[in-house]
Amino acid sequence: MQQASHEREAWGSRVGFVLAAAGSAVGLGNIWRFPYVTGQNGGAAFVVIYILFVLLIGMPVMVAEIAIGRHARRNPVGAFRKIAPKGLWPLVGFLGVATGIGILSYYSVIAGWTFGYFIKTLLGAFSQSMTSEQSIVVFNQFVGNPLIAIGHLFLFILFTAVVVMGGVSAGIERWVKILMPLLLVLLLILTIRSVTLEGARKGLEFYLKPDFSKLDGGAIAMALGQALFSLSLGMGAMITYGSYVGKQDNIIVSAGWVCFFDTLVAILAGFLIFPALFARGLDPASGPGLVFVVLPTIFAEIPLGSFFGAGFFLLLTVAALTSTISLLEVTVAYMVDEKKWRRKPAALFMSCLAFLLGIPSALSFGGVDWLSRMPRIGLGFLDLMNIFMGNYSLTIGAFLISIFVGYKWGMAGIRAEVEQAGAVFFFRKTWTFLIRFICPVAIFAIFVYIVVTKNYF
Ligand code: PFF
């Protein structure tokens, strides 16, 4: 990370921003969340809708967020305030900061499991062949133990806080450059084993043969939420990262790369999980434990399986870390820019908040009964956070951002920003149409539908 000519930090290079933004985007959302929501929502048809949303909503909103950030050179609250000093727009930034803490709290619980599974695999817990029943028992024992769950949550938030205290990305650029390609390689190795298992075919069919009768309004809302979550959109993470982007970068090209990498990893994760899942006779709709139950059943079937398995969970932990860094960074940038706190106390304070808020999520997999299945709703606390923070809050954020850029900041404003230093605004007309009409109308329609049909979860 270099010091820019003004006081604000900047990414080392254009590749630096793409790497950091891809680091934020690629994470548990791709490898943990994408397969299980796809499993819960019927498979291939969900994937088709997901890809449509990445292209029609994710991509335009990504460009909008980066442009807002680069233009204002501030955190989300300050950015809205700078571009539209009067009115309520900074509230969109506040919503983002609150959502950042909310997502960080439960995301770190799952990231903690990932780290725990790295240690377990390394110690040889999965070196013998495992049936799916055995794998389920191991998983339930692990996540149901309150001390283990809270301990891992603590550890993971600590990792995140330490990195963020050090400055925006002293290291993110360098780490991501080496570790992401490595994660892809391990993903490929495990996927090859998964698709060649006996009985894998059914999984491929589930994943690739769309049956649109399985889609309802709830599934469509989930696909949209998943696309935004996976791309880190709707809460200002890309506004914050965009605020460190140099004026010579082409925002459209950068956004295109980030969307491409992120979608590639998610699609690959599906090829890893579904064949093995069907080969092992597991239920695709079994929820957040999916990846942790499926993967250990194939490690013993691969030469050096414990080694590759441990490597995979380690890299996934790092991928999660580069995402939690961006979540925490949004809140820290807010405290530093707007409240004039120093970086270290701000990071410490916000991570303590996230830790406290994460405790009920950590206890919601058997640790405490009523948190695991909450009265009336029938969902666990983490599931609830995941739906409200990780879906609806991001969706509302993306809706407001598209209205802001499309109608308040306006096309002239954004155009001047994107075309800085002679950069070409590729697909400008299409983009304008998407951000002004398709994004807000589609999101609004989905909301009305789920409210009317009471299909919230
Ligand atoms: N995009 C991350 C993932 O897919 O794991 C999660 C995330 C990070 C969501 C940052 C939102 C965000 F602002």
Side-chain angles (χ1 to χ4, degrees):
M1 172 121 321
Q2 300 165 350
Q3 210 63 24
S5 46
H6 310 293
E7 69 299 332
R8 201 165 185 82
E9 288 176 277
W11 303 113
S13 60
R14 148 121 154 245
V15 179
F17 166 72
V18 172
L19 286 171
S24 167
V26 175
L28 296 173
N30 309 60
I31 293 172
W32 160 71
R33 200 178 190 248
F34 176 76
Y36 98 74
V37 280
T38 301
Q40 282 177 334
N41 290 287
F46 180 86
V47 178
V48 172
I49 302 294
Y50 172 81
I51 293 176
L52 269 181
F53 282 149
V54 168
L55 291 172
L56 298 182
I57 297 181
M59 186 65 199
V61 173
M62 171 89 67
V63 169
E65 282 204 27
I66 301 173
I68 294 174
R70 188 173 78 171
H71 181 78
R73 307 213 144 271
R74 309 240 153 111
N75 68 91
V77 177
F80 284 105
R81 194 172 281 147
K82 176 157 184 203
I83 300 177
K86 293 197 204 86
L88 296 175
W89 287 106
L91 287 180
V92 183
F94 277 114
L95 177 70
V97 172
T99 307
I101 288 291
I103 296 182
L104 179 61
S105 75
Y106 77 84
Y107 193 94
S108 300
V109 171
I110 314 292
W113 295 355
T114 313
F115 184 65
Y117 261 59
F118 157 62
I119 305 283
K120 259 182 183 312
T121 318
L122 195 68
L123 297 178
F126 308 117
S127 55
Q128 315 271 321
S129 276
M130 277 229 164
T131 62
S132 26
E133 288 76 24
Q134 287 166 327
S135 185
I136 291 174
V137 171
V138 171
F139 175 74
N140 286 339
Q141 271 172 359
F142 181 73
V143 299
N145 180 322
L147 266 184
I148 294 189
I150 295 178
H152 281 80
L153 164 69
F154 178 79
L155 207 66
F156 197 84
I157 292 202
L158 187 71
F159 293 160
T160 310
V162 168
V163 178
V164 172
M165 279 183 203
V168 185
S169 90
I172 303 187
E173 288 186 45
R174 211 173 336 135
W175 282 26
V176 173
K177 210 184 291 186
I178 309 169
L179 296 174
M180 290 274 218
L182 218 58
L183 177 68
L184 263 176
V185 171
L186 281 196
L187 199 59
L188 273 174
I189 294 178
L190 297 177
T191 302
I192 290 172
R193 180 66 267 214
S194 172
V195 294
T196 50
L197 287 170
E198 209 176 53
R201 236 191 113 88
K202 271 217 227 103
L204 287 174
E205 270 173 24
F206 176 82
Y207 191 46
L208 297 176
K209 256 201 183 155
D211 171 1
F212 286 97
S213 66
K214 286 185 183 158
L215 277 184
D216 57 7
I220 292 175
M222 288 302 147
L224 175 59
Q226 174 59 26
L228 297 171
F229 183 89
S230 190
L231 295 167
S232 303
L233 294 174
M235 54 156 274
M238 292 298 163
I239 295 181
T240 310
Y241 272 20
S243 75
Y244 311 116
V245 172
K247 294 287 184 197
Q248 72 292 346
D249 291 5
N250 186 319
I251 294 178
I252 312 290
V253 176
S254 299
W257 277 116
V258 177
C259 291
F260 173 74
F261 280 137
D262 187 71
T263 310
L264 180 73
V265 176
I267 299 291
L268 260 176
F271 277 108
L272 165 61
I273 298 301
F274 291 111
L277 181 137
F278 277 80
R280 296 291 186 247
L282 286 156
D283 173 14
S286 62
L290 204 60
V291 180
F292 297 93
V293 170
V294 173
L295 284 185
T297 67
I298 64 170
F299 292 157
E301 318 279 320
I302 302 173
L304 297 177
S306 285
F307 172 76
F308 287 128
F312 181 78
F313 280 123
L314 178 64
L315 290 171
L316 189 52
T317 307
V318 176
L321 187 62
T322 53
S323 301
T324 51
I325 290 168
S326 71
L327 288 163
L328 184 58
E329 179 60 26
V330 171
T331 68
V332 170
Y334 162 68
M335 295 300 273
V336 170
D337 289 353
E338 305 298 308
K339 302 281 169 214
K340 306 293 172 231
W341 282 39
R342 276 173 303 123
R343 172 166 277 279
K344 281 193 181 146
L348 212 59
F349 175 73
M350 288 299 183
S351 36
C352 285
L353 267 186
F355 171 65
L356 293 176
L357 186 62
I359 292 177
S361 287
L363 296 176
S364 71
F365 287 83
V368 171
D369 281 344
W370 74 269
L371 286 171
S372 310
R373 206 179 153 73
M374 295 174 46
R376 310 249 310 266
I377 346 181
L379 285 174
F381 190 83
L382 186 143
D383 289 314
L384 204 66
M385 290 292 283
N386 198 11
I387 289 172
F388 279 95
M389 294 287 164
N391 253 40
Y392 294 142
S393 193
L394 297 180
T395 308
I396 294 171
F399 174 74
L400 294 171
I401 289 168
S402 60
I403 302 271
F404 178 77
V405 173
Y407 299 94
K408 176 73 192 170
W409 192 18
M411 291 306 121
I414 186 142
R415 191 167 169 191
E417 185 53 45
V418 172
E419 292 179 350
Q420 294 256 359
V424 182
F425 197 148
F426 296 108
F427 306 108
R428 181 168 53 83
K429 291 211 170 106
T430 318
W431 182 87
T432 307
F433 178 69
L434 292 174
I435 205 81
R436 298 193 70 178
F437 302 107
I438 299 298
C439 296
V441 172
I443 298 177
F444 188 72
I446 290 172
F447 258 100
V448 170
Y449 185 85
I450 54 173
V451 170
V452 171
T453 56
K454 299 207 167 62
N455 205 341
Y456 307 113
F457 312 126

